[in-house]
């Protein structure tokens, strides 16, 4: 796995998950139903856990949501974060209900007395706070033409850092340092610059993300660029990919980002060609079939991800399949099975995925490593 020099941060515990320091970068997502509808939240929580989510956040909009935290916590193993806006009272109620972390937005909970009271309650219950800035809720930004916020002309990154540092001082004067910081903008360049600048001013762990990044086809690209760029610089301790999509999709993208950078190993990686006019088989459907089969196989991460190739023609196919732990390179309606770099036998296109899965089971999956 690739190694990056991680930014040195203090360590923060969120329930059973520890972030910062040399701990693995954790994946977070958010329930997308009303928190007081606990059955719906628990269904999404189960989907998220199956997808690989490690920290769950819920919106606390009213008293019913805050009280529901207690019920939800009893039924999940993931740490539960209460997302609080506007109301210091709801923050205190969510803390009493057993939240593992509180997220506060400096844009709408900013009275010193209220922030200090929340800090005292968090210290008493031994839970951290995320100081979570969003560019859309900062009152200090000016409006440009057409009512839109002007970001680059007003130094959005500088404004976000200044606001964050001012807010952090309230906690620090109270002697509270169990803090995570996020500075999310909807423009990915502003987001990158804000985190870079903030990294020079504090040693708190960072939660990364691009806010309101949009539908999956657009939001995946924006989030991958921004989060990936920061992770390459050693910045980031938890991540959330914010998509206008079911929450499990956010987790899948987050896992892909981390594994692509070699920062986490989630078991396997499929190497498949994009196909072209030389490809004589329906490789895309076969790759989908393989992906579904691998999920059911339950390959666990250890060392580097297992490489499983499915290639569609004789140009790059044999080489890629040979370099993988196991793979098939197709020509016409049959392919050649490779294992540990050696060709084994021909397999039919129809049976290729079945053969691959059987080989993986027979060798104990990770026993394929060369």
């Amino acid at each position: 796995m690739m190694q990056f020099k991680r930014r040195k941060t203090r360590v923060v515990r969120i329930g059973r998950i520890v972030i910062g320091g040399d701990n693995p970068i954790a994946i977070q997502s958010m329930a997308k139903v009303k928190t007081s509808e606990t059955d719906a939240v628990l269904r999404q929580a189960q989907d998220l856990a199956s997808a690989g989510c490690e920290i769950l956040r819920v919106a606390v909009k009213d008293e019913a949501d805050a009280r529901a935290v207690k019920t939800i916590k009893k039924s999940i193993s993931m740490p539960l974060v209460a997302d609080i806006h506007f109301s210091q009272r709801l923050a205190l109620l969510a803390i009493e209900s057993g939240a593992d972390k509180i997220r506060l937005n400096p844009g709408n909970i900013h009275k010193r007395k209220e922030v200090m009271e929340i800090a005292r309650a968090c210290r008493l219950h031994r839970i951290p706070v995320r100081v979570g800035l969003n560019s859309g809720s900062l009152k200090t930004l000016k409006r440009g033409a057409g009512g839109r916020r002007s970001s680059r002309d007003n130094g959005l990154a500088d404004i976000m850092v200044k606001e964050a540092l001012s807010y952090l001082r309230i906690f620090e004067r109270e002697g509270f340092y169990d803090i995570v910081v996020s500075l999310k903008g909807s423009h990915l360049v502003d987001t990158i610059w804000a985190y870079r600048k903030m990294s020079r001013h504090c040693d708190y762990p960072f939660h990364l993300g691009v806010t309101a990044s949009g539908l999956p086809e657009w939001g995946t690209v924006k989030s991958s660029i921004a989060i990936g760029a920061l992770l390459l610089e050693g910045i980031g301790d938890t991540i959330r990919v914010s998509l206008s999509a079911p929450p499990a999709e956010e987790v899948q993208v987050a896992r892909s980002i981390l594994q692509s950078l070699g920062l986490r190993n989630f078991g396997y990686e499929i190497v498949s060609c994009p196909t072209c006019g030389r490809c004589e088989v329906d490789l895309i459907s076969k790759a989908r079939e393989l992906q579904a089969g691998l999920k059911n196989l339950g390959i666990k991460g250890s060392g580097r991800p297992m490489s499983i190739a499915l290639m569609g023609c004789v140009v790059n196919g044999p080489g890629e399949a040979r370099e993988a732990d196991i793979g098939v390179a197709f020509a016409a309606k049959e392919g050649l099975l490779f294992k540990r770099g050696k060709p084994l036998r021909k397999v039919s296109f129809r049976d290729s995925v079945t053969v691959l899965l059987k080989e993986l089971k027979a060798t104990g999956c990770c026993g394929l490593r060369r």
Side-chain angles (χ1 to χ4, degrees):
M1 296 176 74
M2 286 183 281
Q3 296 294 322
F4 303 111
K5 185 177 180 180
R6 292 273 300 276
R7 169 177 166 264
K8 291 184 179 180
T9 72
R10 62 181 65 228
V11 172
V12 171
R13 177 175 291 277
I14 308 165
R16 64 180 180 83
I17 298 290
V18 182
I19 67 166
D22 295 322
N23 292 291
I25 296 161
I27 296 173
Q28 179 173 305
S29 188
M30 191 169 186
K32 301 192 177 187
V33 291
K34 184 166 173 55
T35 303
S36 60
E37 296 175 1
T38 54
D39 288 344
V41 173
L42 292 175
R43 283 194 295 271
Q44 287 199 345
Q46 185 175 14
D47 290 342
L48 284 165
S50 297
C53 184
E54 293 162 318
I55 302 171
L56 174 63
R57 182 157 56 111
V58 294
V60 175
K61 186 179 179 181
D62 53 34
E63 186 172 321
D65 288 341
R67 296 192 184 282
V69 167
K70 185 174 183 179
T71 301
I72 296 166
K73 230 181 102 64
K74 289 179 180 177
S75 301
I76 65 173
S77 58
M78 285 181 288
L80 188 62
V81 180
D83 190 66
I84 311 293
H85 296 269
F86 304 107
S87 173
Q88 161 250 10
R89 182 180 61 85
L90 291 179
L92 298 175
L93 186 54
I95 293 167
E96 290 291 336
S97 297
D100 294 301
K101 184 172 78 169
I102 296 295
R103 181 274 174 102
L104 298 180
N105 187 339
N108 53 51
I109 297 181
H110 44 72
K111 292 181 179 179
R112 183 180 300 275
K113 183 179 179 180
E114 294 180 350
V115 175
M116 290 174 67
E117 188 174 2
I118 294 169
R120 292 177 192 132
C122 286
R123 182 191 293 112
L124 180 66
H125 288 80
R126 297 183 178 179
I127 65 170
V129 168
R130 170 154 73 95
V131 172
L133 282 86
N134 283 81
S135 59
S137 59
L138 287 178
K139 299 181 184 300
T140 52
L141 291 183
K142 296 179 180 179
R143 296 282 179 175
R148 295 185 61 184
R149 291 179 185 269
S150 178
S151 59
R152 288 162 181 79
D153 291 343
N154 293 286
L156 176 57
D158 290 331
I159 293 171
M160 293 180 75
V161 169
K162 182 179 178 181
E163 291 283 339
L165 291 171
S166 176
Y167 204 71
L168 288 170
R169 280 195 288 272
I170 301 174
F171 287 94
E172 291 167 349
R173 286 170 185 155
E174 186 61 29
F176 186 87
Y177 299 92
D178 207 8
I179 297 169
V180 180
V181 175
S182 65
L183 307 97
K184 298 182 181 181
S186 54
H187 295 289
L188 64 91
V189 175
D190 293 327
T191 299
I192 292 169
W193 276 106
Y195 279 106
R196 282 177 177 166
K197 289 173 182 288
M198 192 67 186
S199 69
R200 303 170 195 151
H201 294 281
C202 71
D203 66 350
Y204 296 113
F206 287 169
H207 170 71
L208 303 185
V210 178
T211 190
S213 65
L215 293 166
E217 55 269 28
W218 186 236
T220 296
V221 174
K222 291 174 68 176
S223 298
S224 298
I225 292 171
I227 294 172
L230 291 165
L231 291 174
L232 281 167
E233 296 177 22
I235 296 171
D237 303 280
T238 70
I239 67 173
R240 187 224 172 160
V241 176
S242 300
L243 301 176
S244 300
E249 291 188 32
E250 299 182 348
V251 176
Q252 291 162 8
V253 176
R255 285 164 65 98
S256 296
I257 292 170
L258 291 175
Q259 183 160 291
S260 296
L261 293 172
L263 293 168
R264 296 284 299 271
N265 173 12
F266 300 108
Y268 65 86
E269 177 182 13
I270 296 176
V271 178
S272 61
C273 67
T275 76
C276 69
R278 286 184 292 269
C279 184
E280 298 181 59
V281 295
D282 184 4
L283 190 81
I284 294 173
S285 66
K286 221 51 169 173
R288 296 284 186 196
E289 182 186 340
L290 175 62
Q291 184 177 49
L294 289 168
K295 287 181 180 177
N296 295 329
L297 205 58
I299 299 174
K300 302 296 183 182
S302 176
R304 65 172 176 81
M306 180 179 298
S307 178
I308 305 167
L310 208 59
M311 301 297 295
C313 81
V314 297
V315 176
N316 294 319
E320 293 285 1
R322 187 178 289 110
E323 288 297 316
D325 292 297
I326 189 170
V328 176
F330 291 105
K333 296 300 179 183
E334 63 180 9
L336 185 59
L337 175 67
F338 288 83
K339 188 174 177 182
R340 299 190 186 95
K342 297 179 180 179
L344 293 186
R345 62 183 183 275
K346 290 182 178 181
V347 297
S348 70
F349 176 75
R350 184 186 64 183
D351 298 333
S352 56
V353 168
T354 301
V355 170
L356 282 170
L357 296 175
K358 283 183 177 179
E359 288 286 343
L360 288 167
K361 288 180 182 178
T363 53
C365 297
C366 292
L368 285 172
R369 299 273 159 68
R370 284 174 265 180

